[in-house]
Amino acid sequence: MRRIFVSLLGLGLVAGCAMPPEGTDEADVASFDRAVASIGCDLIDEGDYQAVEIQTGLSRPQTQEMASFRVETDAAVRLSNGGMRLVTGSCAPAEPAAEPADDETA
């Protein structure tokens, strides 16, 4: 019985880490992703933040927390300039083209 409790507790902790920021929900996550995609997939400077805030209705702290949440859930990556790039949905990196097969019959 103790083993089951510990397993369930561990699952709860993992699930708790994947929750959107306080005061937001899954609809806000989807709205954030659409807004970031609409500005070119990168959230870097003041103009980017303002555009996302206007489109989503999120406050600056919520937008910053959402950006961190998307990085923590591997939906975005941190950029060297301090910003973040969304890497899911329409912002997913293009798959490299497949290498052509060698034509051994020639």
Side-chain angles (χ1 to χ4, degrees), residues 2-4 10 13 16-17 20-21 23 32 36 39 41-42 44 48 54 58-59 67-68 77 88 90-91 98 102:
R2 183 169 188 244
R3 177 186 254 169
I4 292 171
L13 292 175
C17 293
F32 176 86
V36 173
I39 61 166
C41 301
D42 292 351
I44 299 171
D48 296 340
I54 289 168
L58 297 173
S59 67
S68 293
V77 294
T88 59
S90 63
C91 294
D102 291 336

Side-chain angles (χ1 to χ4, degrees), residues 1-105:
M1 185 65 154
R2 183 169 188 244
R3 177 186 254 169
I4 292 171
F5 176 75
V6 170
S7 294
L8 291 175
L9 179 63
L11 287 174
L13 292 175
V14 170
C17 293
M19 299 294 292
E22 188 173 335
T24 64
D25 58 22
E26 290 300 322
D28 293 319
V29 174
S31 179
F32 176 86
D33 287 356
R34 283 190 305 275
V36 173
S38 79
I39 61 166
C41 301
D42 292 351
L43 185 59
I44 299 171
D45 58 24
E46 181 68 19
D48 296 340
Y49 275 92
Q50 286 179 345
V52 170
E53 290 163 12
I54 289 168
Q55 291 183 58
T56 62
L58 297 173
S59 67
R60 177 62 56 98
Q62 287 175 316
T63 301
Q64 291 169 326
E65 290 172 12
M66 188 68 75
S68 293
F69 168 71
R70 299 311 277 153
V71 169
E72 290 168 6
T73 58
D74 296 326
V77 294
R78 292 226 183 270
L79 300 174
S80 61
N81 60 9
M84 54 85 51
R85 173 173 293 143
L86 197 62
V87 294
T88 59
S90 63
C91 294
E95 293 291 325
E99 302 252 347
D102 291 336
D103 188 6
E104 295 180 19
T105 60

